[in-house]
Amino acid sequence: MILVAGSLNLDLVVRAPIPRPGETVLGGELARHPGGKGANQAVAAARAGGQVRLIGRVGHDDAGSEFRAALAGEGIDVAPVTATNAPTGTALVVVNPAGENTIVVSPGANLHLRPGDLAPGWFEDARVVVLQLELPLETVRRAAELGHAAGATVLLNAAPAWPLADELLRDVDVLVVNEHEAAALLHDVADGAEMADALARRVPLAVVTLGARGVAWAARGGGGRLPALPVTAVDTTAAGDAFVGALAVALGEDQALEGALRFASAAGALAVTRRGAGPSLPRRAEIDALAGG
Ligand code: ADP
């Protein structure tokens, strides 16, 4: 069982020129997609072949019901996605004709998931616990502690970028960050491999994703680099989420580290070949085909 505890944000996306303060513009048709790092990584892991349970909070609203139905449709156990008296988290996204975007996130119900809401029973059969930083930090901390106590591998994707106390990292086995997030955790370290080495002094395994330049990893016994798989990139949204979900599945299957990183890289590479977040998350057969080829 892969247990993900994280955010659920409904993405409301409209194509329009980005308005200046005080300006009103007309946009295209509104699109609604389930998103948020928690939901995306849960879907990524389920499609990569994992049995997945998601812990999260939504509102007593239509978006909350839509989320439950969409995630259950992916085969995810959503029993620990509970409703609270706050609106479901929402991201307001404007994409301009040049493909640039502005995003406002209203976390809403996500901030109502408190440490005391985490039932230890949800963690008991977890092999891997997957966390990000879109919930209150004390909730992330408690989830790491419960995962560790249950004997699971605790994987923290420290995104969005945030400086972290060693206290939170104490129960983390695998830290996954992109370069920008790594920079928020380190001072004056520029190169990906050096970043991974520096982070591996704080956690047993550190993985730094480098976009089209692949991935650098370091553990106490050593480290290495893996080039990205060659693909034609059209939209890099959710590459990191695809990578994390697939890595969790591979680690849960006890794949050896280099094989697990290659599997995760294949998932990240496939995600950049398609537009959007949810629709771009790849399935097991295609990940295996790219990773094995
Ligand atoms: P994030 O989306 O968190 O910024 P990255 O951009 O580092 O994360 O992407 C995560 C992983 O996805 C990379 O380590 C790589 O394996 C894969 N990936 C991302 N962009 C590309 C690309 N253009 N070509 C091939 N693989 C990519």
Side-chain angles (χ1 to χ4, degrees):
M1 169 69 67
I2 310 288
L3 179 65
V4 181
S7 57
L8 295 89
N9 286 321
L10 180 69
D11 292 340
L12 297 179
V13 186
V14 64
R15 295 195 167 264
I18 291 167
R20 287 187 295 274
E23 192 184 15
T24 299
V25 298
L26 283 183
E29 201 164 299
L30 183 71
R32 306 160 64 89
H33 310 290
K37 291 183 197 298
N40 285 348
Q41 292 180 11
V43 172
R47 291 198 191 155
Q51 213 193 322
V52 180
R53 177 181 299 140
L54 176 62
I55 301 175
R57 277 261 149 119
V58 291
H60 292 290
D61 48 23
D62 289 347
S65 324
E66 277 173 48
F67 250 119
R68 281 225 195 72
L71 294 167
E74 297 282 347
I76 296 167
D77 172 10
V78 290
V81 176
T82 54
T84 187
N85 280 331
T88 295
T90 303
L92 304 174
V93 185
V94 178
V95 184
N96 74 8
E100 296 160 328
N101 57 34
T102 54
I103 304 178
V104 179
V105 176
S106 171
N110 292 299
L111 297 185
H112 289 238
L113 187 68
R114 310 300 309 168
D117 298 326
L118 300 173
W122 293 334
F123 291 76
E124 268 164 18
D125 55 353
R127 300 215 55 186
V128 183
V129 171
V130 180
L131 307 168
Q132 321 78 28
L133 301 177
E134 289 186 335
L135 294 178
L137 274 187
E138 55 273 29
T139 305
V140 177
R141 168 89 206 82
R142 177 72 180 144
E145 195 174 68
L146 286 168
H148 182 79
T153 296
V154 177
L155 187 165
L156 173 66
N157 173 218
W162 195 258
L164 289 178
D166 279 327
E167 221 246 313
L168 194 136
L169 293 178
R170 196 181 58 202
D171 291 320
V172 171
D173 300 295
V174 183
L175 178 68
V176 181
V177 285
N178 66 20
E179 283 174 286
H180 178 62
E181 293 144 7
L185 296 171
L186 299 166
H187 302 286
D188 303 326
V189 185
D191 167 71
E194 278 176 27
M195 284 177 163
D197 282 341
L199 292 170
R201 285 185 216 117
R202 301 177 71 187
V203 290
L205 170 63
V207 177
V208 180
T209 64
L210 305 166
R213 286 177 294 117
V215 56
W217 60 274
R220 275 160 204 163
R225 281 289 288 258
L226 216 64
L229 290 148
V231 291
T232 306
V234 298
D235 177 358
T236 59
T237 310
D241 291 337
F243 183 97
V244 168
L247 181 61
V249 170
L251 294 175
E253 291 173 358
D254 289 329
Q255 291 189 30
L257 184 56
E258 293 230 11
L261 290 171
R262 187 171 166 83
F263 183 77
S265 300
L270 287 163
V272 307
T273 64
R274 298 171 204 153
R275 287 193 195 287
S280 76
L281 296 170
R283 296 185 185 278
R284 179 66 181 239
E286 38 183 1
I287 303 173
D288 278 339
L290 184 61

